[in-house]
Amino acid sequence: MAHVAQSRNVIRHVVSRGTAFRKYENAIHHPLLFACQGVRYRKLEVILTTGIEKLGKGGETVKVAPGYFRNHLMPKLLAVPNIDKYAHLIREQRKMRNYEEKEEVKVVHKSSEVQTKEFEKAAKRLANANLVLRKLIDKEKFKNRSSKEDKPDVQTPVTKEEIVSEVARQLCVKIDPDNVVLTEPLATFGEYEVPLKFPKTIPLPPGTVQWILKVKVRGH
């Protein structure tokens, strides 16, 4: 559409000049002038600047009634007279347009089967991975713990969103928080098996009943 608008701007500039048609020796005999003067003329040959339903495509030469050209096509610059200067302009504009259309990148949509295989591959990668999260220890709780066997608390518990972020950073796999089954944040250091929820179309590894992500929370 940008090329069509550009073509129309150039044409409008040419047509608006008072001496545009007087530069041509045979302009006085051109059907356009007869149409503008109200002289009856059977058909005019014009070049369409854009596609018009039931008339033709952009760049095509068609024959139309003088009144239709004078009252509708010409004022809106939907068509121009079939003379050399306009024909050359339209050809050059269409060359540029066609070249850019060839260079346009086509988006290829993946089939559901390909997407399922990619999801399955990503899920297996998560099941075989060990996600390590480094956190600061809560010194106050560490001093007041009741037993040395108690696991130290972290300053900021590990949330779903943090797990999703670290999975993307460490494992290069994108998942959503809805894929992580975490009833409450991980508040202490240690090793965890965090359940994952994936579509039923992704088969579970043999001998398992649920997808599991191994997470290790350790200190700096």
Side-chain angles (χ1 to χ4, degrees), residues 72-184:
H72 179 69
L73 298 179
M74 190 63 179
K76 297 180 180 180
L77 294 180
L78 299 175
V80 294
N82 184 20
I83 56 180
D84 290 341
K85 62 178 180 180
Y86 292 125
H88 175 73
L89 176 62
I90 296 298
R91 281 197 301 267
E92 292 301 315
Q93 290 295 329
R94 291 193 66 80
K95 283 181 183 178
M96 294 173 59
R97 184 180 178 184
N98 291 336
Y99 176 77
E100 290 196 357
E101 288 177 352
K102 290 178 182 178
E103 292 295 322
E104 184 178 353
V105 177
K106 293 183 179 180
V107 179
V108 179
H109 297 283
K110 295 180 179 179
S111 65
S112 57
E113 183 179 354
V114 173
Q115 287 182 336
T116 301
K117 289 183 178 180
E118 289 184 354
F119 292 154
E120 183 178 348
K121 184 178 179 181
K124 288 182 178 179
R125 184 172 184 179
L126 293 177
N128 296 326
N130 289 286
L131 189 69
V132 179
L133 302 176
R134 296 183 179 273
K135 306 290 287 186
L136 293 174
I137 190 172
D138 189 328
K139 295 181 180 179
E140 189 66 27
K141 289 183 178 181
F142 181 74
K143 292 179 182 178
N144 298 327
R145 59 180 177 166
S146 58
S147 172
K148 292 183 179 180
E149 296 180 357
D150 292 342
K151 295 181 179 180
D153 291 288
V154 297
Q155 282 188 359
T156 55
V158 178
T159 62
K160 281 186 180 182
E161 289 73 20
E162 190 172 356
I163 291 176
V164 169
S165 177
E166 287 299 313
V167 165
R169 188 182 69 85
Q170 296 183 30
L171 307 178
C172 299
V173 176
K174 185 179 179 181
I175 59 174
D176 295 324
D178 293 339
N179 297 129
V180 181
V181 182
L182 193 65
T183 55
E184 58 183 11

Side-chain angles (χ1 to χ4, degrees), residues 17-75:
R17 297 175 58 184
T19 60
F21 293 109
R22 289 197 294 272
K23 289 184 179 180
Y24 297 89
E25 295 180 358
N26 297 326
I28 191 65
H29 301 295
H30 196 276
L32 173 63
L33 296 185
F34 283 88
C36 295
Q37 294 170 3
V39 179
R40 296 177 63 85
Y41 198 87
R42 289 187 178 181
K43 290 288 184 179
L44 293 177
E45 279 197 359
V46 298
I47 304 173
L48 300 178
T49 61
T50 186
I52 300 177
E53 188 177 358
K54 296 182 180 180
L55 190 58
K57 299 179 181 179
E60 289 184 349
T61 301
V62 297
K63 291 184 178 182
V64 297
Y68 181 62
F69 174 74
R70 181 176 66 251
N71 300 324
H72 179 69
L73 298 179
M74 190 63 179

Side-chain angles (χ1 to χ4, degrees), residues 184-212:
E184 58 183 11
L186 307 180
T188 60
F189 291 96
E191 296 182 358
Y192 299 87
E193 289 187 347
V194 178
L196 298 175
K197 182 172 59 177
F198 293 122
K200 294 181 179 180
T201 54
I202 303 177
L204 288 164
T208 61
V209 295
Q210 190 177 25
W211 289 100
I212 295 294

